[in-house]
Amino acid sequence: VQRVLDMATEESDNPDLRDRGFVYWRLLSTDPEAAKLVVLGEKPVIEDDTFKLEPQLLNVLIGQIATLSSIYHKPPELFVVRAGLGDAKVYEEEDEEDYEDENDVVDDSNAGDEDNGGGGAVDLLDMGSMGISSPPPNTADMFNSPSPAAQTPQATVARMSKVCAPEKTGGIEVYAGFRSLNSAIRMELKLVNVSSSTPVSQLAIQLNKNAFGLSPANQQISISPPIAQGGTDIAVVELVVAPAMMAPVTPGQPATPQIQVAIKN
């Protein structure tokens, strides 16, 4: 037995025979009784079923040797379910309906944001931040300037969003919006003197660093005539792009479209 095991594990070039020799060697050295049960136990009859298949099926399986047919011993049409063209069309229509439903949800959420006024309240007198709402999703211009085909003589004011309530600014209600006019970027402020007894005549404005690098060309805003209580006026702030005002972007994070503005009366 030792000679046979030596020949099987050391002299044979057949890897299956070597593995079998190592298994028997370890089995004999560990538990001879268990080896006896394995070697002398009843074994099933080994049969060759190569030629039990019909010649026509065998030719089909040989052509499908790299597929599951060679494992199942069946041609592909017996276990592969193929969808018809009508089914595929139904699936495409259902996918389109699902896509339209998702778009409807997104559009409704955007409309809700616009109804809520967009942006948050800002403490202007304490030089707090002022959020300007993002442009509507159906325009590519970040400053909400209309396309050349859509420009009309009536489009003389930027799309405004309420950014500050009078309760937090001493009676002044503020609306703000951006637009591009003759290749110039401008921020327009609608100032409503709701309850301030002091007319609004002079404002100072400052922008924090932002993703667009925008900065006011002049930090002083003069309003003439002054806005008395109950009055309304539009103030225009010309903006320029300054590299020093570019806000750093955290790696792996998208740049924020929010612009923080501080205004002091």
Side-chain angles (χ1 to χ4, degrees):
V1 175
Q2 183 67 41
R3 176 59 181 159
V4 173
L5 293 176
D6 288 338
M7 292 177 62
T9 57
E10 297 179 1
E11 299 179 12
S12 176
D13 294 333
N14 189 322
D16 294 333
L17 182 58
R18 286 201 305 270
D19 291 343
R20 185 181 293 267
F22 282 120
V23 170
Y24 285 138
W25 197 334
R26 174 166 293 185
L27 189 60
L28 286 170
S29 62
T30 303
D31 190 348
E33 291 300 324
K36 182 179 179 180
L37 294 176
V38 172
V39 175
L40 301 180
E42 185 179 355
K43 299 178 179 61
V45 179
I46 300 177
E47 297 181 355
D48 184 8
D49 60 353
T50 303
F51 299 100
K52 289 187 177 180
L53 297 174
E54 297 180 2
Q56 184 178 0
L57 176 60
L58 184 60
N59 291 333
V60 173
L61 296 179
I62 292 175
Q64 302 289 334
I65 195 67
T67 68
L68 293 175
S69 293
S70 60
I71 299 176
Y72 296 150
H73 288 181
K74 296 179 181 180
E77 55 269 17
L78 293 183
F79 61 88
V80 176
V81 178
R82 300 181 181 274
L85 294 178
D87 296 337
K89 184 176 180 181
V90 172
Y91 295 151
E92 291 178 358
E93 291 178 355
E94 291 179 353
D95 292 342
E96 290 178 358
E97 291 177 358
D98 293 341
Y99 179 74
E100 291 175 358
D101 292 341
E102 292 176 358
N103 287 344
D104 292 341
V105 172
V106 173
D107 291 341
D108 291 342
S109 62
N110 289 336
D113 291 342
E114 292 180 2
D115 292 341
N116 291 334
V122 183
D123 190 352
L124 300 183
L125 298 181
D126 288 341
M127 303 297 284
S129 62
M130 180 173 66
I132 305 300
S133 61
S134 302
N138 58 351
T139 176
D141 191 345
M142 64 182 178
F143 297 108
N144 199 30
S145 60
S147 60
Q151 287 182 354
T152 60
Q154 289 77 17
T156 57
V157 180
R159 174 177 168 270
M160 295 287 186
S161 298
K162 183 177 179 180
V163 296
C164 199
E167 295 81 11
K168 296 187 177 182
T169 56
I172 307 298
E173 191 172 56
V174 182
Y175 296 79
F178 291 90
R179 71 166 175 152
S180 177
L181 181 64
N182 298 329
S183 301
I185 305 170
R186 53 194 291 171
M187 177 174 62
E188 298 181 358
L189 303 173
K190 179 181 178 182
L191 306 173
V192 181
N193 189 341
V194 177
S195 58
S196 176
S197 58
T198 304
V200 181
S201 60
Q202 193 78 17
L203 298 175
I205 185 171
Q206 181 179 354
L207 271 65
N208 286 349
K209 289 185 177 182
N210 52 82
F212 310 107
L214 296 177
S215 177
N218 187 354
Q219 293 185 338
Q220 299 298 321
I221 304 175
S222 298
I223 302 174
S224 181
I227 306 175
Q229 184 173 351
T232 301
D233 201 355
I234 300 292
V236 177
V237 181
E238 299 291 341
L239 301 176
V240 295
V241 178
M245 292 297 295
M246 293 289 293
V249 179
T250 304
Q253 298 293 331
T256 175
Q258 186 184 47
I259 298 179
Q260 294 180 333
V261 183
I263 301 177
K264 191 171 184 179
N265 187 359

